[in-house]
Amino acid sequence: MASKKTRVAVIGAGNMGRHHVRNYALLPEAELVGLADINPESKKLAEEYKTRYFSDYRQMLDEQKPEAVSVVVPTPLHREVGEEVISRGIHCLVEKPIAYSVADADALIALAKKHKTVFTVGHIERFNPIIRKLKEILDQKRVGTITSIVCRRVGGFPTVEPKTDVIIDLAVHDIDIINHLLGKRPTDIFCHGSRTHHSKEIDSAEMLLGYGNASGFIQANWLTPVKIRTISVTGSNGCVEGNYISQELAYYKHNMKRENGGFSGFVVSMGKLEEELIKVDFEEPLAVELKTFLRAAEGDADAQIVDPEDARAALEIALKALEGAMQQ
């Protein structure tokens, strides 16, 4: 007997929305029943993946009656569209950030609780294999006491000018990851931002987050000619370096032997690193994220979706960082 497929739909067919459509169409546990977008060109995407196109998402919800929906619209519309989905008792995944404001995030969280629907947020890097493996390594205390986490999320300016700044659009990923890995939220937030190519928003930012004995540093911009997505965690016993794009992870153990021989001996001893390349099974993070969302929608209590309260915290921190950058 074939297992039940979850009826799913996507609202928004922009750069990220089209990947939601593609993944749902390929997932055996999903039945893609509709795509809604105000751009009529999106009908071609719907035809490509053999689903129905709607210019009005409300009409799609009425006629197709999906059980789970991805909301992939511009951030200022997250609350309006998310509320329409959730109020109908439909499970909802909203792309990051959770909303345009903390008040909007609170409204969505409260509505989901009222209607007892699964509500989660597309912090996709949580589902990157290197982050899942990295969390395992840190929980095993292989790096000892964590002192710092450094993230770089940089690349060239998008072909279409973003509607938001680089902190809300990019750095919010790393804010969430640092919070997730440390298991807490920062007590101190410092941020420098600048605008180079964007007509009105910050397109380059450096952020320092204080977590008591540990710190988080984030560099995010649309200026660096090459796309870089890396994370480095340093602790009392060693460090781990990860690359989100290639999904490579390496562990380096500290060598702190005290040897005689002056400074040259010290340099040689510090150079003798123990390197371990950690095997990570390559997976598309979005596919893993959507599978996990559908499992939660079907009632799997073990499905580790992103808690919307975590997404709310990441947004609140990003907004405080942006406020600090704007005051310079």
Side-chain angles (χ1 to χ4, degrees):
M1 181 177 174
S3 59
K4 176 185 177 296
K5 290 190 174 186
T6 304
R7 292 173 62 81
V8 301
V10 178
I11 302 175
N15 184 51
M16 196 65 189
R18 63 191 307 107
H19 292 298
H20 280 250
V21 171
R22 172 177 58 81
N23 273 284
Y24 279 137
L26 296 174
L27 290 178
E29 56 266 64
E31 179 188 358
L32 181 62
V33 299
L35 163 64
D37 194 282
I38 59 173
N39 185 349
E41 286 295 311
S42 301
K43 187 175 182 181
K44 296 176 184 176
L45 181 66
E47 290 171 348
E48 179 182 353
Y49 290 103
K50 298 178 173 56
T51 193
R52 285 194 60 189
Y53 165 75
F54 295 83
S55 59
D56 184 337
Y57 73 89
R58 293 181 180 87
Q59 181 185 356
M60 180 185 72
L61 297 177
D62 287 337
E63 293 184 12
Q64 299 304 95
K65 295 180 169 47
E67 299 165 276
V69 168
S70 282
V71 174
V72 201
V73 297
T75 303
L77 298 176
H78 282 192
R79 177 175 179 176
E80 175 189 327
V81 180
E83 285 185 334
E84 188 70 36
V85 172
I86 294 169
S87 64
R88 295 167 185 251
I90 300 170
H91 304 301
C92 182
L93 183 155
V94 173
E95 261 302 337
K96 64 81 203 164
I98 183 172
Y100 192 63
S101 69
V102 173
D104 284 357
D106 288 338
L108 288 170
I109 292 170
L111 191 65
K113 288 178 180 177
K114 177 182 176 182
H115 289 277
K116 297 180 179 173
T117 60
V118 171
F119 175 46
T120 188
V121 182
H123 278 281
I124 191 172
E125 298 295 22
R126 289 270 198 110
F127 301 90
N128 192 303
I130 70 160
I131 291 301
R132 287 182 292 165
K133 178 61 73 172
L134 179 55
K135 185 73 166 69
E136 205 177 287
I137 292 168
L138 299 182
D139 288 346
Q140 293 167 352
K141 304 296 183 183
R142 290 190 64 188
V143 303
T145 302
I146 299 172
T147 58
S148 69
I149 300 179
V150 177
C151 302
R152 293 191 72 200
R153 188 171 297 271
V154 301
F157 200 80
T159 53
V160 177
E161 184 174 88
K163 292 182 172 60
T164 57
D165 60 275
V166 78
I167 296 173
I168 302 299
D169 193 83
L170 287 189
V172 72
H173 279 298
D174 301 295
I175 293 169
D176 177 67
I177 289 300
I178 296 172
N179 288 350
H180 175 60
L181 294 178
L182 292 177
K184 53 186 175 181
R185 293 161 189 177
T187 53
D188 299 294
I189 303 168
F190 305 95
C191 183
H192 170 267
S194 58
R195 180 173 64 82
T196 302
H197 297 307
H198 203 295
S199 61
K200 57 182 179 179
E201 303 286 0
I202 287 174
D203 55 18
S204 178
E206 298 78 40
M207 191 182 310
L208 180 63
L209 307 176
Y211 292 83
N213 293 331
S215 65
F217 178 78
I218 300 168
Q219 180 191 30
N221 70 45
W222 289 313
L223 303 180
T224 305
V226 61
K227 185 175 182 178
I228 299 171
R229 302 284 188 271
T230 59
I231 184 169
S232 175
V233 182
T234 301
S236 55
N237 295 339
C239 70
V240 183
E241 303 276 347
N243 187 311
Y244 287 101
I245 299 171
S246 63
Q247 295 187 10
E248 294 173 310
L249 207 57
Y251 169 71
Y252 300 92
K253 186 176 181 180
H254 280 313
N255 184 346
M256 296 296 289
K257 294 178 182 177
R258 300 294 181 186
E259 296 183 6
N260 295 325
F263 180 71
S264 60
F266 169 74
V267 171
V268 171
S269 69
M270 287 298 290
K272 296 175 183 177
L273 292 176
E274 293 182 31
E275 178 185 14
E276 176 188 349
L277 298 179
I278 299 169
K279 179 175 172 52
V280 176
D281 293 328
F282 195 92
E283 293 181 279
E284 182 179 354
L286 182 59
V288 179
E289 179 182 64
L290 297 183
K291 285 180 185 178
T292 307
F293 171 49
L294 295 183
R295 282 174 51 204
E298 288 300 320
D300 185 348
D302 294 325
Q304 297 182 2
I305 57 175
V306 173
D307 187 329
E309 292 287 356
D310 290 348
R312 178 198 184 278
L315 172 65
E316 185 174 31
I317 294 162
L319 289 172
K320 287 181 179 177
L322 178 61
E323 182 181 1
M326 296 292 286
Q327 290 176 351
Q328 295 165 15

